[in-house]
Amino acid sequence: MPRRITSQYPLQISKLQDDAFLAPYAGVLERRKMNLVAARYKLTGSVNGSLAEKAAQNHKFFGLHRQADNSWVFREWAPAAKKIVLVGDFSGFEERDGFVLSHLHTPDGCWELQLPPGVIRHGMHYCLHIYFADGTMGVRLPAYADYVVQDPDSNIFSAMVWDPPEKYQFKNPRPPRQDHVLIYECHAGMAQEECKIGTFNEFTGKILPRIAKGNYNTIQLMAVMSHPYYGSFGYHVANFFSISGRFGTPDDFKHLVDTAHAYGLRVIMDVVHSHAVRNEVEGLARFDGTREQYFHAGSRGEHSAWDSLCFDYGKTEVQKFLLSNLNFYLEEYNLDGFRFDGVTSMLYKHHGLNRVFSGYSDYFSDEVDEDAYTYLALANTLIHEVVPEAVTVAEDVSGMPGIAAPLEQGGAGFDLRMAMGVTDLWFKLFDLPDEKWDIAALFYELINRRRDERCISYVECHDQAIVGGQSAIFRLAQSDIYHKMRWFDTTPTVERAVALHKMTRLATAATGCSGYLNFMGNEFGHPEWIDFPREGNNWSCHYARRQWSLADDPELYYHALGEFDRAMLELLTEFGVYSSAVRKLKLDNHDKIMAFERGNLWFFFNFNSSKSFTDYGVEVMPGKYQLLLDSDESRFGGHARLAADQCYFTMPERCGNLLKHELKLYLPCRTVLVLSKLD
């Protein structure tokens, strides 16, 4: 392997205030900094107070806890409740004397129940009967329940006491944070090939080794938090402190995280603080008989598109609930960070629905929920206080300036944001004939990002493959994907799909600011869509699984695509491209050529559908270059039109009074070559 050298074009991250277009809004940015200071003071009693110690310990106070003398204490926050009774296996799920909570006056709205040793045991089920101001009673699951399960016969959810005789001990430390983040987005339930709901243990044993072998360094786990409806993909959360019981136990999830760490994989979790499910029995809706306990009143508390409820981020008790939720997962499950879902919905009172963000005024209007912005800044402050090397990722489609900028600059403090415009452009291009692709516009979008923020780029995540959409390979191959994916029995449509699948991924990963994301199975072009079991498909798991056997069959293009993905990430990691900037070499819309340099790697893309170029000249630094990666190799499902590992020498050419040096390359159609300079 050629030696790695430091690029002469290092990646530069500027300050938020360096953006001249933000000058009219300098006062707003300053106010956002002051809002964070004021909120932190209110929560901790000091402008520099510890959020972890003062504002994120609710999970240790509320909920069910065994004491040192083996007695038990249960506490709940329900300020509008008139009476609360704990019921469960220990009472035959009937109200009995001795299980009625007492109303405490400090903190306000707190209820408490002390129970002697022996009454509560590991594995027991329980819930609450809460009496409301109007005299009615509602069955509720505790807001801080740390394990919620569903009865397979009745389908009723209940909290379960999780207090095994031996507490799980983590064996492996968190892997160190790296400059680049290569994310494998995954879902434990749909990770198995069998038509069923997979488990955490199956994911640990069967899928983690695949991810590690694929050269990813981070897994992003979806649908971890407890959600009543499996088909919600985990985005209608009911029990924020409970992992989803349908996938296994808390110890199973700890084992998953621990094993991932043993492989050197960091683990971040999709956290859904953007909204909550409407369910009243299982969730937080009308928990104490009022809608306003956790959520906004009236229409502001309703998310019409998601059929869910919106948190009141300006309420101190809600801030403590959500901050404690983050602290809980960091401490209890040893996570390495979070990907925040639905940030756009949080940031705007209109939730970004039917809005086009066309100017800076959209980011600083009265429609911005400044309380939500402050909460996100608090969340990032807390996370990095608890785990300094944690990574936080924002899913924001609006492009709000400052989301991934430092707190001291008026930013929200995320480490990374999703570069969501990249995937939008790819899927627009997929619907166009190749000759209509605008290569210059494509390159611009690939590198288009704020200089004060770091981004994660991707061709597709889970969103593109949900029912109603199509994965990239499905969009490109269409119906031929069902019967023409064998390399010796294929069609031009499939050959185009396979070639572009490789090229789009390398172009995206190689130009990404600080990392790259792939959804589970898409690295090998998993066919078809994602559809969770529901009434409309007779509750089938057929499309809520991953067909790994396709990637394991060397006669299928799926295998070749997986091999290319692995080789691509290995090369980008080896040469440390993410510590260097991207430097344009050549863009040619007529020939469909895109060439650029990054981290001592030179990338040459020929997107032309039919024309291969001989002795194609591209100006580079003078010297000797070696071919390291060729998407046209036979092992990657190509036609092997180039000799592997060959070397090239630059040719000097006089251009007026200037002497330039060019590589003369054979660029096969629909192929990308990656070279490295040897001297």
Side-chain angles (χ1 to χ4, degrees), residues 331-634:
E331 292 183 339
E332 185 71 15
Y333 292 108
N334 219 25
L335 295 181
D336 302 289
F338 301 94
R339 180 256 198 191
F340 279 69
D341 178 70
V343 168
T344 305
S345 178
M346 300 173 70
L347 288 174
Y348 303 95
K349 297 171 187 176
H350 52 62
H351 307 303
L353 299 175
N354 302 315
R355 300 299 174 107
V356 176
F357 295 89
S358 57
Y360 276 53
S361 60
D362 295 323
Y363 306 126
F364 300 97
S365 72
D366 292 339
E367 289 296 326
V368 175
D369 188 336
E370 296 293 347
D371 289 337
Y373 193 98
T374 300
Y375 165 67
L376 291 171
L378 286 169
N380 279 293
T381 303
L382 167 75
I383 292 165
H384 293 103
E385 177 188 338
V386 177
V387 183
E389 289 196 330
V391 62
T392 57
V393 184
E395 186 218 20
D396 169 38
V397 72
S398 76
M400 166 72 79
I403 280 295
L407 300 165
E408 59 270 19
Q409 297 176 20
F414 282 96
D415 297 294
L416 301 157
R417 76 182 309 155
M418 305 293 291
M420 303 181 76
V422 174
T423 186
D424 289 343
L425 180 58
W426 280 126
F427 276 77
K428 289 176 182 176
L429 291 176
F430 292 159
D431 291 336
L432 294 176
D434 296 11
E435 57 269 19
K436 291 188 177 295
W437 284 30
D438 188 328
I439 300 302
L442 169 61
F443 182 76
Y444 173 79
E445 185 60 48
L446 289 171
I447 64 170
N448 180 28
R449 44 194 171 251
R450 296 188 59 83
R451 291 179 60 84
D452 50 68
E453 297 179 335
R454 296 182 182 271
C455 305
I456 294 291
S457 297
Y458 59 103
V459 175
E460 55 185 332
C461 65
H462 69 276
D463 287 331
Q464 284 67 46
I466 290 289
V467 168
Q470 293 178 329
S471 66
I473 196 71
F474 203 174
R475 180 71 66 92
L476 291 165
Q478 294 298 312
S479 61
D480 282 358
I481 202 170
Y482 292 111
H483 48 82
K484 291 295 180 180
M485 289 297 286
R486 293 190 179 276
W487 57 264
F488 55 82
D489 179 21
T490 189
T491 65
T493 298
V494 168
E495 289 188 338
R496 173 180 180 266
V498 169
L500 291 180
H501 194 275
K502 292 177 287 186
M503 297 179 73
T504 58
R505 275 159 166 73
L506 181 53
T508 304
T511 56
C513 176
S514 297
Y516 172 73
L517 176 142
N518 167 72
F519 178 66
M520 177 177 66
N522 284 359
E523 72 278 8
F524 66 82
H526 194 282
E528 300 181 324
W529 53 82
I530 299 169
D531 186 11
F532 282 86
R534 55 187 172 85
E535 187 175 2
N537 63 18
N538 294 319
W539 304 103
S540 170
C541 288
H542 180 76
Y543 295 108
R545 61 189 181 114
R546 298 283 92 175
Q547 299 179 61
W548 303 105
S549 59
L550 298 176
D552 296 336
D553 188 339
E555 293 186 353
L556 297 177
Y557 277 121
Y558 301 111
H559 178 76
L561 293 177
E563 288 296 305
F564 180 80
D565 194 78
R566 186 179 302 114
M568 170 186 84
L569 295 183
E570 181 180 22
L571 186 66
L572 297 179
T573 300
E574 172 68 22
F575 280 80
V577 299
Y578 294 105
S579 62
S580 305
V582 178
R583 189 174 76 94
K584 179 182 70 175
L585 296 176
K586 190 166 189 175
L587 301 175
D588 191 320
N589 271 329
H590 179 268
D591 291 339
K592 305 304 178 190
I593 300 295
M594 179 173 74
F596 57 88
E597 170 202 349
R598 190 174 195 186
N600 197 34
L601 291 178
W602 274 255
F603 299 83
F604 303 91
F605 291 81
N606 180 5
F607 283 100
N608 201 296
S609 61
S610 59
K611 190 172 183 179
S612 299
F613 298 96
T614 302
D615 292 333
Y616 195 92
V618 180
E619 184 178 2
V620 297
M621 296 168 60
K624 179 182 179 181
Y625 292 77
Q626 182 179 1
L627 177 62
L628 298 184
L629 186 66
D630 168 17
S631 68
D632 195 47
E633 287 186 51
S634 57

Side-chain angles (χ1 to χ4, degrees), residues 77-90:
W77 177 64
K82 296 306 177 183
K83 179 182 177 182
I84 302 180
V85 184
L86 184 70
V87 300
D89 292 332
F90 41 80

